[in-house]
Amino acid sequence: MMNCSGLLNLQKEPVPLKSIEVELEVRDHVATVVSTLNYENKENKPLEAVFVFPLPGDAAVYHFSAKIGQTQIVAEVKEKQKAHEEYDDDLSFGQQAFLLEESDQSPDIFSLSVGSLPPGESASIRLEYVTELAVQADDGLRFCLPAVLNPQHKYLGRKSKGFEVVYIPASLVPHSLSFSARVSSPRPISKVESNCSLDPLQYLNTDQTQATVKLAAGHKFDRDVELLIYYKDAHQPTAVVEGGQASAEPGTLMGDPVVMVSLYPEFPETVMSSGTSCGEFVFLMDRSGSMDCAISKSEQEETRMSSARDAVLLLLKNLPMGCYFNIYSFGSSYEHIFPKSVEYSQETMKEALEKVDQMEADLGGSGMLEPLKHIYNQPCIPSHPRQLFVFTDGEVWDTKEVIDLVKKNSDSHRCFSFGIGEGASSALINGMAKEEGGGHAQFITGTDRMQAKVMQSLRFSLHPIVTVTWDLPKEVSVTVLSPPITTLFKGGRSLIYAQLTGQSSEAAEGCVTVKYSLAGHPSENQLHFSLRPAEDTGLTVHRLGARSLIRSLEIEEREHKEHEDGGVKEKLVQLSVQSGVSSSFTDFIPVSKDNRDTIQGRFLLRNNATPCEFTDRYSRQFVK
């Protein structure tokens, strides 16, 4: 058993972490996160270390820098092979060198090779990224800072292919966390809540549209830090047009304006109550060994498995009569309760309830791909749209293959995913549902909001399919950067990013039209917006739009890989370099040219493996 997160040397021993500083800036539904991690080499010799850390799955990393002693290093995004070559060249010449790269298995895992750290020297690592904030069942916006930055996640070995979470008492955590947030929105801020102690919310203006909040003094980073932000009139639809980068060429994504449209449909309650009850509900439960861990630091008695079980039992008791359903569970192998989906009745519900109530985390590893293939190979039931509900802690073997499979079958179903427990993979949970599955993602880290989240997803599964059209001046064309939106949910947010190419007058307007049919009643909503760019927001919208397009291109490249089509990869790399947003084909490569101190010996590069195996197989070996 060994540590599998944080900064480790070649002997798999942790480099002492002195402190973590996090600054969060929230603008309406988008967050900018600046994290600074401070380390110190207390050995009497230089060491080379690798640091693996998590990010939100839909985050766009746009800045990475480090300070080694008095040497300042700033990163640039480069094509992966070129970045590796430069890293090895600088190490061989005795220069400080860093390499930040995205995992081949999951886009929310980044590994950082921190070159040679001299004895007694401190290392300060700074990372900046932007991300969307998920809307919760009670209309709160959720930001989560995972606690895996401290040494509590441990690798279980190659056979299990997973992690366990070992919670460390606050008194034993050797470092502290400084966390502050600034919130601004066109709407007044009603409150900010957290699972950790906060200082009182400080409003910065009389209309309460700007505020700051901090963690209370003395906080130890011994658990996930969850922040919930609430606005008044939270469902107001908006459109923000952000001007392009002055130095970028017009016609490129960074050179043209980009619009972000936030849609909040208001379905009448009378129409919602008469909605269709048809549907095929397929539940997929994770029963791997890691599901036996505690769901959170504060609820040690509640396991991830018991939480998933309670969620499925709640859904089973509330399915609409006349629908069809089935329940699958998986680990190293998979099982299903019925040979095929059966009609929902008192008898079939009772049988399913009894079997679910007996389920334990006893199926070994985390292989989600095979049961998904089996589900998708089952014929769909006419007039009963398929709704897939997935419950997992996110520690599956092949995140990207799972997401690709969900997208491949997105025309035949909608996917609703639940991340169970602190540290659940946001790349998997959001990727399956929000980005590729046309559904909705939820994160369950305790019992307090579990029922509301589960019932919200059930309501969402009965909502209508929609179409979205654009109406712009003839001299302006639109290129949608995000995946097509096929479903809108009452109380849920849908974001659309689009590049606007062409010249228009400052008074020109655009319009987005949303059409759908609910319970046989056609409806149409329009959102008019000015094409005049808003104030400079630091290219936040551009970066999020680039991130969305990069993720789509990555999936497209994997689909065309067997045909050896290099055009998609070339476009992807070009977009990543131009926007400064990392991808699976690019790395951040910062190199200090000022430090010429020689490293005794040379380093050999080994190929990357899965994130949890990096201490075994991803290392740069020091050779005397």
Side-chain angles (χ1 to χ4, degrees), residues 305-356:
M305 189 67 227
S306 62
S307 180
R309 202 165 45 225
D310 290 345
V312 174
L313 291 173
L314 179 63
L315 286 168
L316 282 174
K317 295 175 182 178
N318 288 276
L319 290 179
M321 296 302 296
C323 73
Y324 286 76
F325 79 104
N326 202 353
I327 301 172
Y328 290 73
S329 57
F330 70 91
S332 298
S333 58
Y334 67 91
E335 301 175 356
H336 44 77
I337 292 181
F338 305 108
K340 63 179 181 179
S341 293
V342 297
E343 188 172 355
Y344 182 70
S345 64
Q346 289 293 334
E347 292 75 17
T348 55
M349 178 188 69
K350 182 180 178 180
E351 180 179 355
L353 288 174
E354 292 175 351
K355 292 184 177 180
V356 170

Side-chain angles (χ1 to χ4, degrees), residues 232-397:
K232 296 179 182 178
D233 302 322
H235 306 307
Q236 182 71 28
T238 59
V240 175
V241 179
E242 183 178 77
Q245 192 172 22
S247 59
E249 183 180 350
T252 64
L253 188 149
M254 300 306 292
D256 285 343
V258 171
V259 59
M260 179 176 67
V261 178
S262 304
L263 299 176
Y264 289 79
E266 291 294 335
F267 300 143
E269 290 296 336
T270 54
V271 178
M272 289 299 300
S273 62
S274 62
T276 176
S277 62
C278 295
E280 179 195 12
F281 295 84
V282 181
F283 304 104
L284 181 59
M285 297 178 63
D286 189 344
R287 289 173 59 188
S288 61
S290 60
M291 291 290 287
D292 205 30
C293 297
I295 190 171
S296 69
K297 165 69 176 178
S298 59
E299 300 186 39
Q300 288 286 318
E301 300 300 321
E302 181 79 8
T303 67
R304 301 174 188 177
M305 189 67 227
S306 62
S307 180
R309 202 165 45 225
D310 290 345
V312 174
L313 291 173
L314 179 63
L315 286 168
L316 282 174
K317 295 175 182 178
N318 288 276
L319 290 179
M321 296 302 296
C323 73
Y324 286 76
F325 79 104
N326 202 353
I327 301 172
Y328 290 73
S329 57
F330 70 91
S332 298
S333 58
Y334 67 91
E335 301 175 356
H336 44 77
I337 292 181
F338 305 108
K340 63 179 181 179
S341 293
V342 297
E343 188 172 355
Y344 182 70
S345 64
Q346 289 293 334
E347 292 75 17
T348 55
M349 178 188 69
K350 182 180 178 180
E351 180 179 355
L353 288 174
E354 292 175 351
K355 292 184 177 180
V356 170
D357 195 46
Q358 298 173 0
M359 288 184 176
E360 299 292 343
D362 55 4
L363 291 184
S366 301
M368 189 186 294
L369 201 59
E370 292 307 313
L372 274 179
K373 290 179 180 178
H374 180 85
I375 292 170
Y376 292 142
N377 284 335
Q378 303 304 303
C380 293
I381 301 173
S383 302
H384 290 269
R386 178 172 289 168
Q387 318 285 352
L388 175 64
F389 286 71
V390 180
F391 303 83
T392 178
D393 58 7
E395 295 175 6
V396 303
W397 296 344

Side-chain angles (χ1 to χ4, degrees), residues 150 168-176 220-222:
N150 65 35
I168 299 175
S171 60
L172 300 181
V173 177
H175 55 270
S176 61
K220 291 289 186 180
F221 198 11
D222 60 334

